[in-house]
Amino acid sequence: MAIAHGEKILKYLEENGKANSLRLSELWNEDHQKIVGTVKSLLCLGDVIEAELHSSVKWDLTEEGKQVTTHGSHEAQVYNAIPPSGSTQTEIMTQASILNAGFTKDMAKVGFSKAMSLGWIAVDKSSGAPKFIQKVSSIQDVVQEHLKELASGKNMLTNELRTEIVKSYEMKPGSSFSTSVTKQETDLTPEMITSGSWKTKEFKAYNLNALGTPVPRGHLHPLMKVRAEFRQIFLEMGFSEMPTNNYVESSFWNFDALFQPQQHPARDAHDTFFLADPATASDIPTDYMERVKNVHSHGGYGSQGYGYDWKVEEAKKNLLRTHTTAVSARMLYALAQGGFKPAKYFSIDRVFRNETLDATHLAEFHQIEGVIADYGLTLGNLIGVLYEFFRKLGIEKLRFKPAYNPYTEPSMEIFSYHPGLKKWVEIGNSGIFRPEMLLPMGLPEDVSVLAWGLSLERPTMIKYGYDNIRDLVGPKVNMQMVADNPLCRLDKHRGTEIKEPDYLQELDIRMDSILTRLRGIENEVSKLKKKDKGSPEKLTLVIEADPIYPPLSVQTLIRILMASRNAPVSVTIHQHSSLKKACSADLMQWAKSTISNVSRVDNLFNLTWIWKPVGPRPVAKVVNHYNGDICGETAVARLLARILESWTDCAFYENYDLNTTAEIDDWLDMWENCIQSGDPNFVVLINHIYNQLNCSDGRKWLTGVLPGTKSLADVFLSTVLGHKLNSDRAKEWLSRCNSF
Amino acid sequence: MPTISINRDLLFSALGKCYSEEEFDELCFKFGIELDEVTSDKLIILKEQGTERSEGASEEVIYKIDIPANRYDLLCLEGLVQGLQVFLGETGFPPFKVIPSQTVPQRLIVKSSTCSIRPYAVAAVLRNIHFDQNTFNSFIDLQDKLHQNLCRKRSLVAIGTHDLDTVQGPFYYEALSPDSIKFQPLNQTKEFTASQLMDLYATDSHLRHYLPIIKDSPVYPVIKDSNGVVLSMPPIINGEHSKITLKTRNVFIECTATDLTKASIVLDTLVCMFSRYCQDQFTVEICEIETSQGGIKNYPILKTRQEKIDVNKINRMVGINEQADKVADLLTRMCLTATVAGNGCLSVTIPPTRHDIIHACDVYEDVAIAFGYNNIEKTLPSTNTIAAQFPLNKLSDQLRDQLAQAGFTEALTFSLCSKEDISDKLRKPLSSIPAVHVSNPKTLEFQVARSTLLPGLLKTIAANRKLPLPLKFFEVSDVVLKDRQRDVGARNCRKLCLVYYNKSPGFELVHGLLDRLMQLLEIPLDPTGTTGYSLKACDDATFFPGRCAHVVFAGATVGVLGVLHPEVVTSFDLNLPCSALELNVEPFL
């Protein structure tokens, strides 16, 4: 069926070159929906036909309306039902429904009052009971006539109408047009291979824009993927992994061994999970504990100590380790016992804090820690290692801030520049372990230990763009996220992550966007240019500008455009409700329409000017043509210059040769740069203008070969900077510009 | 890290220079403090209480600045300005001096009754001081900052400041029963006993936090003058009688403490910051403390310490190469006045404001800060080491890769959970589980360290029920078990756990995955269970009867697999059959 119709349509197309589905449905007296179905199936065949969807509003008669076309308006039916002698209302009703079975009481009510007001009928009470009589001998039923016209396709509005949106296809032959339709195969089958029928069959093209079918697979967790990457980096740098599989730690190793005093706030129950069972540790190496006790309470090893009463009970309290540095302390102690050898250690494992939970903090998280122990290490070494470590993560810009940490001195917070946030963010902590921590362990006096730490979750959240840590860790995680998560390549910047700005690439992107905008404008202009061959298209331009920063150049260009007389300009100036102060009369009347009739007819340049607090960058919007806003005085000026060129056919900007156009662009860019680089006095630009004008070669304009050509650059700069120029040559130039 | 709020305009006028926000931020960064927030009273109220309340509040710019926890000397405008000006080389460091009293020194007599509750007290007098509203506020703020930080919320040290002209020395510090203490506390109109005050302040948003420090003691500390006027009941509240005002000219400062070192630091800090407003600038009048043992000690100590520091050592530690006089200049800019002392040494003066300097390494750090961390040359250490992975982690990672290759997806769940998660919900009595219990959990979620990975995975399934079936999740991570053999009485155990959740239990699939893991670990199936692995039917309350087996390896049970008991399934808000395997990884190392 569909195919049969399809071939009919194709034949029609072959003969007529184009077709409209609605037209065909009338022509063949076929339901429009069927035709549309056929068109859709034809479209599936590839490029056999091209079709464009149109929707139009169609007026159609309702049932009531249709009645009117056959039996006349309600008032006419009432009129017709009255015999010449007159009759009562009931009799008339009966008579009317004999004439038209569909005539209801409600319609009669309307009919009576309408007929009365039209003066068609009257009430006669002379014979007692009120009777209706025909007052005029004949009537003209205008309502019926109008509805008949409408039913035949003429467009009018009345209550008897309903609206219908009709979607129809406008068709024309496609690139592989043919009048015969063969059914295409979707896929190769074993039978086709066996029988060889594949040789003659046509195969439906794949939709390569659709996604493929997901493959069944297992996945590693994103946080663990980032962990693997960090682990790899440490291994590459020669760091050995510490055994951190002991979440339960004594306060001694977690705090005391690190010279963290027993009254330190971190040792509060508010910050640390202490244990009820097993509540205390049994074994602490006795002599070492004694040395730790001494250094805390009395000092020693060159230290003043903290001068407090150190208690072993406090040290024996068990807790869930608050940092992996507890393990580092155990490792360094072991290193001292076995005869010191230089060592590099790392670990990535869980730590616990009894802190307030929020979007970025959980009670447990993974700490990454690196430790280097050797003779004669320096703070410069630590900085150097950190640069190398973070370079492997793709972070090149680092900065170090003095900080305080009870067990490191010097201590440094590590900051990296975040290109997305455009500021320095803290990414870790580092320092050199205090002698009060190392010497009681028995490490040689000239051994220094460098250390740094950071959380694993933070860089992972940044890497994959998470705001809430619960979306990443814990049982509430959406496992689809785990499945969809990409590879972890920390030195690659892709996807959700905000990329370090590459200057050249940024320029490329800017260039692209400018080109897109230019193409949009080009379309505008080419449309405008068509006016030579007939009437130019209507152009509606909305410009929003701030009364505090009136875009003088734009206003000047519009005045020039209006003065050209080629363009009938309709101007309306408004002020936006968000303005704090009403605009002065000058501002509201700076331009007047060049035609008296301000109604927006075709073939007209419509300008809507809105004073609005948009700041120093005015915004232009070309209505109905091109979606991108054009922002900034230079950009709007360029747009107007192009419009001017197209309406007047003069050379002003892009109608010049490429070199001149580029020169003009240079001038405008210079002005823009002054604004953006905070040179409010335009010192650089004014010097350039002076240099250009002061040349003794007799140039009269800013651009072009001698003696120069007047252009957008002259108009623009003379308008915006005129009041700042005072050299004689400049003044001559200004007056030349003004006469433009 | 304490944060102080400083009025920007006051700060700049004290510094004698206006900075842009960026410039000041940069200065802070170099100096080791952090400009955390720029705000105003109005903005703060607006944020916390809404537009209406903020009407009329001050719009003066306030800088919120983070101060390192050990720099008590920077906790007020006076100290910060002094620190920055010295850092910028604009002024020298003032010489603080303890001066004798012109008549009889004030004396504070510490009674032995305080030993059981708050045994130490120190005191000092600021003579002929002149406050204005700003400096007065700063004086109060500094006490508050010290209370919150160095004083550990008044538990270690509590400060009381009094108008000396309203009271009569000598002063007595003693501990009395709560009912025998009666006075009019600060900002109250009538007298209360100490017991009544405990009730009065139980709802006070500010003071109630300090009540537990003494509440349950049979005696409360109190300081009275020679006429019995109560100056303060530390660490809770001062008396109204002796309160200081803008008009106060002579300030009596007492600090009571459980830590004498800290009390002395607090007193030094307070007097150093505010002696600048005394007629005789930077001087503070001595007070005698009669200790409970009967001896007399003078306070404040305001000790200036001299240290000899080897310039070479500094250069070596920091990684720079500067001449002695340059290093001395750097230190002087950090308020550590230094001179070249010969023999390649510097003589460094550590003033009473820098109690954070307790070791030469603290001096090295200040050199590094003054030199500029970011000016230090980057070098790489020559440390040459061969790296090794922690074998258990290496094996775990290899197994994780294999599980993912087998089509299972990795979950990452918490090590802490509720007691119920590991017991009731798994149909096991808590007493049978060697779990580690947290003593101070803030929520039920942190009651115990998990003893099995199963609850976390089942919760993960519950949160992902909308995903297409089957759900196949795994986790390889540590659980924590009590173990008397360890010094801390507990150890981690590396477990591998996987769950299969579908319309049919899929026991055979989980079983198949176990076989695959054993194949990867080169462990043969050995029904005798002596060398290889085998399955032995077992009863485990977590699993459906007759659908559960122990994994036996080399004669020991190393894991369990089976179909979960329907009650376990429903207790985790699930409604489909589920199979699970949990394996101890460590025996396979």
Side-chain angles (χ1 to χ4, degrees), chain B residues 23-131:
Chain B
E23 287 167 343
F24 189 70
D25 187 42
E26 187 65 31
L27 175 63
C28 286
F29 194 94
K30 282 187 191 147
F31 188 54
I33 58 181
E34 199 172 337
L35 179 56
D36 184 49
E37 198 187 342
V38 180
T39 180
S40 71
D41 277 344
K42 185 162 184 163
L43 279 174
I44 294 171
I45 300 173
L46 187 73
K47 218 158 86 184
E48 290 168 358
Q49 303 172 21
T51 321
E52 274 176 37
R53 299 261 184 130
S54 71
E55 294 286 333
S58 164
E59 290 186 56
E60 283 183 40
V61 178
I62 291 175
Y63 278 176
K64 289 199 162 187
I65 301 171
D66 283 345
I67 307 289
N70 63 341
R71 290 302 298 271
Y72 330 116
D73 58 318
L74 304 176
L75 286 175
C76 62
L77 178 90
E78 289 74 12
L80 182 65
V81 167
Q82 178 181 286
L84 285 173
Q85 282 185 328
V86 174
F87 182 63
L88 294 166
E90 284 165 6
T91 62
F93 192 75
F96 296 106
K97 226 165 56 198
V98 182
I99 52 167
S101 168
Q102 298 208 328
T103 55
V104 187
Q106 295 296 336
R107 177 175 288 203
L108 176 60
I109 297 149
V110 181
K111 298 278 187 71
S112 56
S113 58
T114 58
C115 286
S116 66
I117 171 79
R118 205 171 178 83
Y120 307 109
V122 296
V125 170
L126 288 172
R127 217 25 111 172
N128 295 319
I129 199 163
H130 281 268
F131 287 120

Side-chain angles (χ1 to χ4, degrees), chain A residues 219 231 241 263 274 276-277 282 301 304 307 318 350 354 364 374 378-379 400 409 411 434 474 479, chain B residues 152 261 316-317 358-359 362 365 374 383 389 393 410 412-413 415 437 439-440 442 464 482 487-488:
Chain A
H219 314 269
R231 217 167 155 263
E241 194 170 23
Q263 316 89 337
F274 287 96
D277 183 25
S282 52
Y301 308 103
Q304 304 289 309
N318 270 341
R350 296 188 194 222
N354 196 8
E364 54 188 283
D374 200 353
T378 71
L379 194 61
F400 299 93
E409 191 82 10
S411 308
R434 291 191 74 100
M479 297 301 273
Chain B
R152 299 289 300 114
T261 314
R316 221 165 47 231
M317 284 298 296
I358 56 175
H359 190 278
D362 298 303
E365 181 184 67
N374 300 295
T383 313
Q389 302 184 47
N393 287 359
E410 185 172 32
L412 190 71
T413 63
S415 310
H437 291 248
S439 66
N440 55 334
K442 278 181 185 157
N464 285 279
K482 274 200 284 191
D487 59 344
V488 295

Side-chain angles (χ1 to χ4, degrees), chain A residues 29-303:
Chain A
N29 194 22
E30 186 68 75
D31 184 34
H32 184 234
Q33 280 313 310
K34 271 189 190 159
I35 305 274
V36 168
T38 315
V39 172
K40 281 184 180 163
S41 61
L42 284 175
L43 282 172
C44 292
L45 298 177
D47 298 324
V48 176
I49 62 162
E50 283 175 27
E52 211 178 317
L53 186 64
H54 285 271
S55 60
S56 61
V57 178
K58 185 182 141 192
W59 297 103
D60 203 357
L61 296 186
T62 59
E63 281 309 312
E64 195 179 352
K66 281 179 188 157
Q67 244 188 60
V68 172
T69 55
T70 45
H71 300 286
S73 65
H74 304 333
E75 53 274 23
Q77 292 191 52
V78 168
Y79 177 88
N80 291 333
I82 300 175
S85 54
S87 180
T88 63
Q89 189 171 357
T90 333
E91 285 164 357
I92 297 168
M93 265 304 296
T94 322
Q95 178 62 23
S97 39
I98 291 169
L99 293 174
N100 170 20
F103 196 64
T104 65
K105 234 179 185 169
D106 285 342
M107 293 179 182
K109 229 179 192 169
V110 175
F112 274 109
S113 66
K114 193 79 189 167
M116 289 286 284
S117 72
L118 285 170
W120 289 355
I121 61 174
V123 184
D124 176 16
K125 291 181 182 168
S126 54
S127 54
K131 275 195 329 191
F132 286 90
I133 53 163
Q134 289 184 342
K135 203 178 172 187
V136 291
S137 56
S138 70
I139 54 166
Q140 192 196 359
D141 192 352
V142 183
V143 174
Q144 187 185 27
E145 283 166 21
H146 282 180
L147 286 188
K148 276 183 177 162
E149 276 174 21
L150 188 117
S152 62
K154 293 192 182 169
N155 207 349
M156 266 172 294
L157 290 171
T158 78
N159 278 338
E160 286 78 8
L161 296 175
R162 65 193 159 100
T163 59
E164 190 183 359
I165 294 170
V166 179
K167 290 193 169 153
S168 65
Y169 283 95
E170 197 69 53
M171 292 165 275
K172 56 182 184 182
S175 54
S176 49
F177 181 77
S178 131
T179 50
S180 68
V181 182
T182 48
K183 186 172 183 307
Q184 292 176 313
E185 296 295 337
T186 49
D187 244 329
L188 198 59
T189 64
E191 291 74 27
M192 292 178 198
I193 295 173
T194 322
S195 66
S197 65
W198 57 269
K199 290 176 191 159
T200 55
K201 297 224 182 255
E202 268 188 52
F203 288 87
K204 195 172 171 183
Y206 278 148
N207 177 6
L208 294 176
N209 294 323
L211 290 178
T213 308
V215 285
R217 63 233 197 264
H219 314 269
L220 295 178
H221 192 279
L223 192 76
M224 300 304 272
K225 289 197 273 194
V226 179
R227 171 184 164 275
E229 191 73 7
F230 272 101
R231 217 167 155 263
Q232 188 62 37
I233 289 168
F234 275 115
L235 291 169
E236 283 166 10
M237 292 175 75
F239 285 71
S240 286
E241 194 170 23
M242 291 188 270
T244 46
N245 54 337
N246 58 323
Y247 297 162
V248 175
E249 194 52 277
S250 61
S251 293
F252 180 81
W253 287 108
N254 196 76
F255 292 126
D256 296 288
L258 301 178
F259 198 51
Q260 196 149 348
Q262 294 189 329
Q263 316 89 337
H264 193 274
R267 302 182 69 154
D268 249 22
H270 290 294
D271 294 319
T272 300
F273 288 112
F274 287 96
L275 297 189
D277 183 25
T280 56
S282 52
D283 264 353
I284 297 172
T286 326
D287 339 344
Y288 175 43
M289 187 175 81
E290 201 54 36
R291 292 195 293 271
V292 168
K293 175 183 175 168
N294 275 327
V295 78
H296 275 252
S297 39
H298 313 301
Y301 308 103
S303 175

